[in-house]
Amino acid sequence: MAANYSNWFIRARLKTRQLLLLVGLDEERNIHRTAEVLGMTQPAASKLLKDLEDMLEVQLFERLPRGMRPTWYGEIMIRHARMVLSNLSQAHDEITALKTGLTGQVNLGAIVGVSTALLPRAIARMKQQFPYVQINVQLDTSNALQPALQQGRFDILVARLFEEHDKSGLNYELLAEEPVCLATRRGHPLAQGAGLTLRDLMSAAWVLPPSGSVLRHRFDLLFRQQNLEPPRNVIETTALSLTTALLEDSDMVTALPVDVVRHYAEHGMLASLPIALDCKMDAFGIITRRDQLLSPCAAAMLRTLREVSVEMYGELSAA
């Protein structure tokens, strides 16, 4: 740990006012006006800048006849100075919010598979700790959620990252894989059958994700691997509420994440079919943007998601 304190900014006793000076000079391009804005004398501002340049052994600003212009070295320091000041400001906001009672809103995007266990537990815990935080949740596919995160419409995703996704600007914390099973209403004749195979299900009516989705592709592949044609009597939807309602009122069959089926089975609504299914979705995780400073509400929601995730799936793994 002691080695960490040998960094140059420790030795230089870098001051917050020097960071403010860098940002001010970038905005004003004039040391006299910058000094006025910061409430200091021009000689004091000049000394702060010179001390910093001497320590770094580079020139941070070009002195021009009518002002100043950052060098490449200066651009680097200015960018990082803004980040440090922003982080310090966020820390103050979070402390103030916690002292006064956290308020505001957080926008979550999530895949359907986590909507019956992880998400409800995390949201319930968050609301218990911070009852006045507004939590907005949208369920969708990972392909639909990821661009929305990049556009700033979500603070946090619980979703998958596929190979075609641009991962360069994202933080990803792996949670778990998502096995899939076949399900029907409770009391369905097929649910009691022994030795059930995919061939026995070819004539069944199905509720499935749309063609082109990852789960639908893998579901169809199961049949083709056994030289069977995928079912043709299909209703396509991504709406979990519609899927469960259709199953309750008919003899239809569906393919859903095991956690989802387990949840509805515990409430007497669905039953998993006794058939070994070599099918699972890619692992999912918590996704945030690297360049996004989370609000105090979103930061608290992220911490809560991590806590509940560790309880359910074990330690998180960054990727």
Side-chain angles (χ1 to χ4, degrees), residues 93-104 129-133 296-297:
D93 290 345
E94 289 189 31
I95 291 171
T96 302
L98 288 172
K99 287 167 60 178
T100 59
L102 198 60
T103 60
Q129 295 174 339
F130 308 110
Y132 303 114
V133 171
C297 293

Side-chain angles (χ1 to χ4, degrees), residues 6-313:
S6 63
N7 289 318
W8 70 270
F9 52 82
I10 300 295
R11 300 193 307 273
R13 297 183 180 179
L14 184 67
K15 303 175 179 67
T16 305
R17 300 202 82 185
Q18 286 173 309
L19 302 179
L20 292 168
L21 179 65
L22 289 173
V23 174
L25 286 172
D26 184 46
E27 295 174 351
E28 299 292 340
R29 302 297 172 101
N30 182 286
I31 197 163
H32 178 72
R33 288 198 300 270
T34 301
E36 287 183 341
V37 170
L38 296 178
M40 66 176 71
T41 65
Q42 182 174 331
S46 298
K47 185 178 187 307
L48 282 176
L49 179 59
K50 184 178 184 304
D51 290 345
L52 187 54
E53 289 180 325
D54 288 347
M55 186 61 202
L56 290 168
E57 298 181 346
V58 295
Q59 184 177 350
L60 299 176
F61 287 85
E62 296 180 46
R63 278 66 169 176
L64 306 174
R66 293 191 176 182
M68 305 176 72
R69 178 173 60 203
T71 63
W72 285 355
Y73 302 115
E75 294 284 0
I76 293 172
M77 282 301 299
I78 290 165
R79 175 162 51 88
H80 286 281
R82 290 185 184 278
M83 292 170 60
V84 170
L85 292 171
S86 179
N87 285 338
L88 289 173
S89 178
Q90 183 186 7
H92 177 266
D93 290 345
E94 289 189 31
I95 291 171
T96 302
L98 288 172
K99 287 167 60 178
T100 59
L102 198 60
T103 60
Q105 70 175 30
V106 55
N107 297 309
L108 286 176
I111 54 176
V112 171
V114 300
S115 66
T116 57
L118 170 63
L119 219 54
R121 294 183 197 179
I123 291 173
R125 184 173 301 181
M126 179 74 176
K127 292 295 285 184
Q128 186 177 29
Q129 295 174 339
F130 308 110
Y132 303 114
V133 171
Q134 177 181 333
I135 302 173
N136 304 317
V137 183
Q138 180 176 326
L139 301 181
D140 212 325
T141 64
S142 297
N143 281 330
L145 293 170
Q146 194 264 349
L149 174 69
Q150 299 282 32
Q151 296 162 10
R153 290 165 51 195
F154 295 114
D155 300 303
I156 304 165
L157 295 187
V158 182
R160 300 180 182 85
L161 272 182
F162 295 121
E163 186 175 347
E164 63 270 20
H165 290 161
D166 180 9
K167 308 173 185 65
S168 58
L170 300 176
N171 295 313
Y172 178 69
E173 301 171 64
L174 175 66
L175 295 184
E177 292 184 331
E178 190 175 47
V180 175
C181 67
L182 302 184
T184 62
R185 64 173 174 82
R186 189 176 182 182
H188 193 291
L190 290 174
Q192 311 303 320
L196 197 64
T197 68
L198 289 181
R199 185 177 295 276
D200 299 321
L201 302 174
M202 289 185 62
S203 60
W206 291 82
V207 188
L208 294 171
S211 299
S213 65
V214 176
L215 179 53
R216 180 64 177 278
H217 169 73
R218 295 182 181 179
F219 172 83
D220 289 350
L221 192 60
L222 287 175
F223 284 83
R224 297 191 188 281
Q225 287 172 339
Q226 297 190 25
N227 296 319
L228 301 173
E229 283 296 314
R232 299 177 63 185
N233 183 3
V234 175
I235 296 173
E236 296 187 345
T237 182
T238 59
L240 182 58
S241 57
L242 177 59
T243 299
T244 54
L246 287 169
L247 294 181
E248 284 185 275
D249 293 333
S250 72
D251 284 340
M252 292 182 179
V253 185
T254 191
L256 286 172
V258 169
D259 281 348
V260 173
V261 176
R262 184 182 296 118
H263 170 80
Y264 284 102
E266 288 173 353
H267 291 80
M269 297 171 62
L270 297 183
S272 59
L273 291 182
I275 179 172
L277 202 63
D278 185 19
C279 181
K280 63 182 179 181
M281 298 295 292
D282 295 337
F284 61 89
I286 298 173
I287 308 172
T288 55
R289 285 169 44 196
R290 289 180 186 169
D291 63 350
Q292 181 182 18
L293 290 173
L294 295 177
S295 68
C297 293
M301 187 73 248
L302 180 59
R303 287 193 298 270
T304 306
L305 278 168
R306 286 170 173 161
E307 291 171 3
V308 176
S309 297
V310 168
E311 293 169 8
M312 292 181 61
Y313 310 117

